[in-house]
Amino acid sequence: MKAFLQFLQRAFKYFRNTKRVWRRPPRASLLIIDRGTASPLDEMFAHHNPHIMEIRGESVNMFALLRALPKIHLGAVAYLEAYIDFVKPKLILSRTDNNHTLWQLKRRPNVTYKVALIQNGWRFPGTENSKLIGASKIDTADRYFTLGSATPAAYSFMNAEFFQQIGSLYLNNYRIPQKENNLNLQVHFVSVFRAKIPREAQGLSEFVGLESAMNRKRLSLSVICQSMSDLDYAREQNFYETAMPAVKLQFKRRTSQLSSYAHLNNKNVLISDLSTLGYEALALRLRVGFISISRNTRVVARFGLPLEFGEKGPFWTNDPSEEEIGRILDYLLSVSDEQWERDSGWIRDQLMVHDYGNTKIRAYVEGVLTDSLESK
């Protein structure tokens, strides 16, 4: 009862500040849930005229809400199901895979629509996301499109037939760069800065090893920034200038959602801590070093989890000391392409596959919507 009352309280606040729509949701064969993560799905499948459902407070459909009232004890699930019943889709897609409500969309018996969720970030075993999904104790999706073959280890309670490896939807628009010789490699660091998190909580004092290693090797460091607004960008610059004052820093500002991908080329080596961009670079066969800098996340989010590759390897370490980071830098700046492939290839596809053109998810969606999908 307490949980239900808390839900009602949250729902009231949500409803009070949300635009109310007084028309029925339109019929559509393809329903994409969550406008916030609809891209690039809406562009990929625009020819099917998908309908996009808003779930972040942009609007609330009054017809769906009224239909959901008799089952209000189910919370958000009741509203989602009522909305779906108006749309009558053949297929529901969503990249909001960390919302456990979306994993319950097939709880009703005999529903005719299919549900496919798409991995939209690194998922670790034992985190709140996997616990909430596991609490349902039922498989509630037809397909879960994953970054690589490691993902099922984070959802060991699920049937293996639900998983299909497709990599990163955005990255799959980029070809694997062709090899070039005699490159003057530049070191780039994938920023871990988040404007909404206090500086001290982001490990401001934990960049000593990286700073010392860069100085000893007389290297400059380019930071691939996260921030887009002027204020957040200024804060991000100040964060790294404070964390590594002795290093010559350059800042690569994020100007659009996809601008960071411009740095994934053969002229750069990347140092990554917790960024999916590091795994995406690995999928493109680029040289990436993974260093667990932040002690707060080192236990649950170090390289390769949910798989275990050990504390140290040729291009990764969970020890952010000057010696270890120096070892990683020496390796990345000198290793031959052939040796890099031997050292990284057997790991790469487990973490992030590369499906240029997004052929696998396109085939699935077209198969469902044209009633030609072959059983896996």
Side-chain angles (χ1 to χ4, degrees), residues 30 32 40-50 362 366:
L30 176 60
I32 300 174
L41 297 171
D42 52 352
E43 297 101 332
M44 291 169 60
F45 303 112
H47 56 289
H48 287 293
N49 298 314
R362 288 182 187 275
E366 297 299 333

Side-chain angles (χ1 to χ4, degrees), residues 124-141:
F124 304 109
T127 57
E128 193 63 21
N129 178 63
S130 62
K131 288 178 182 177
L132 286 171
I133 295 168
S136 65
K137 293 184 170 54
I138 53 174
D139 292 335
T140 52

Side-chain angles (χ1 to χ4, degrees), residues 222-243:
S222 295
V223 180
I224 302 175
C225 295
Q226 296 286 337
S227 306
M228 294 181 66
S229 74
D230 291 341
L231 179 59
D232 289 345
Y233 178 58
R235 290 174 176 171
E236 189 165 12
Q237 285 183 299
N238 180 260
F239 176 86
Y240 288 107
E241 288 169 347
T242 303

Side-chain angles (χ1 to χ4, degrees), residues 17 19 21 30 33 57 72 78 83 123 152 170 202 228 292 304 332 372:
N17 300 315
K19 176 184 176 183
V21 178
L30 176 60
I33 294 183
I72 195 64
Y83 198 103
R123 307 299 174 215
Y170 285 121
Q202 301 191 58
M228 294 181 66
S292 299
L332 294 175
S372 61

Side-chain angles (χ1 to χ4, degrees), residues 254-270:
R254 187 181 184 188
T255 57
S256 68
Q257 187 177 25
L258 303 180
S259 61
S260 297
Y261 289 106
H263 307 295
L264 302 186
N265 57 63
N266 278 321
K267 298 178 182 178
N268 301 328
V269 299
L270 268 65

